[in-house]
Amino acid sequence: MIMLNLFIFIFFNINYIFPNEIENSSWINELNGVYEVRIYSDKYFSVAKYNIINNEFIGTSGGIYFYDNYYYEVQEFNSMDSSLVGDTIFYSNVKINIKNGIRMMKIDGKTFIKSPDEEKLSGSWLMSGIERRGEMRMREINRPRKTMKLLAGNRFQWIAYDTSKKGFYGSGGGTYTAENGKYIENVEFFSRDSNTVGKSLEFYFEIKEGNWHHKGFSSKGDPKYEIWTQRNQ
């Protein structure tokens, strides 16, 4: 059971929203060069805000979302205000409509345009293994300290955080493609190093026993071999 330190209730009316409209999808709002991207993978979500003109990372938040009768979110991480971690936030006037063949979602007074669909690797993933000095070191994925990667609608975002300490340790994201065993990330923001923005990182991927094996080189050129497991709780 999720303990709530603060319950924020905003009276609202959902005009039109169905689970299958947002599940495994991504949405983008752009204003004066500032992107705000929402990714929904399985029952998890992330929101990232960044400036594509000067490569500034502004902030990110996310966690679990629900749509039973109402649309609301439980915060697992928030780089801008850690005191909100654990809170439940209800949103008002959430709706999705179609205009000229383009799906748009209005939430919190902002309009987001849906990104193209992408099925391959779509989902919420937790890092369960990483190679260090030639040795694969496995991780317990259900611990509070997590590195999670969300992929949906041709967009990705990874986040390192700790729910028990309300800690945020880094995030990066952008667009991706996955085809014929080749996975490419086009980096649009990186909280730790803005010089990484604009790079395209190429990896080899393979699904083994349900786990995503991810091999290649980091943005600094270091060898990288990671294992990711789909999140189920």
Side-chain angles (χ1 to χ4, degrees), residues 39-42 44-46 77 121-128 146-152 155-161 171-174 176 183-185 187 201 203 212 214-215 224 226-231:
I39 300 177
Y40 296 93
S41 293
D42 304 323
Y44 306 99
F45 81 100
S46 65
F77 59 90
L121 296 178
S122 180
S124 52
W125 301 84
L126 294 172
M127 185 184 291
S128 56
K146 308 176 188 297
T147 300
M148 181 169 67
K149 182 177 284 192
L150 303 182
L151 291 89
R155 290 195 166 270
F156 78 95
Q157 182 181 353
W158 63 266
I159 316 99
Y161 63 102
S171 183
Y176 82 95
Y183 171 77
I184 299 175
E185 293 182 344
V187 182
L201 306 178
F203 303 91
W212 170 13
H214 177 84
K215 297 181 182 180
K224 176 183 285 191
E226 299 168 343
I227 299 175
W228 297 80
T229 300
Q230 284 204 298
R231 184 174 180 180

Side-chain angles (χ1 to χ4, degrees), residues 11-16 91-95 106-109:
F11 183 76
F12 61 98
N13 172 39
I14 295 182
N15 292 303
Y16 173 81
Y91 285 92
S92 64
N93 197 30
V94 178
K95 64 179 181 179
K106 190 169 184 178
I107 181 170
D108 199 24

Side-chain angles (χ1 to χ4, degrees), residues 191-224:
S191 65
R192 298 172 181 167
D193 183 6
S194 62
N195 292 320
T196 302
V197 175
K199 291 184 177 180
S200 292
L201 306 178
E202 184 174 313
F203 303 91
Y204 294 100
F205 78 91
E206 184 179 5
I207 302 298
K208 295 181 180 180
E209 299 179 346
N211 294 320
W212 170 13
H213 289 248
H214 177 84
K215 297 181 182 180
F217 294 89
S218 70
S219 58
K220 296 181 179 179
D222 299 324
K224 176 183 285 191

Side-chain angles (χ1 to χ4, degrees), residues 26-30 33-40 45-52 56-63 77 79-80 110 112 150 155-159 168 170-174 188-191:
S26 63
W27 307 75
I28 184 168
N29 169 275
E30 189 274 333
V34 174
Y35 276 16
E36 186 169 338
V37 176
R38 284 182 162 266
I39 300 177
Y40 296 93
F45 81 100
S46 65
V47 183
K49 195 170 184 179
Y50 52 97
N51 191 312
I52 63 169
E56 176 193 7
F57 169 74
I58 298 172
T60 186
S61 62
F77 59 90
S79 69
M80 299 160 286
K110 300 174 184 177
F112 293 77
L150 303 182
R155 290 195 166 270
F156 78 95
Q157 182 181 353
W158 63 266
I159 316 99
F168 168 78
S171 183
E188 291 186 349
F189 71 91
F190 187 27
S191 65

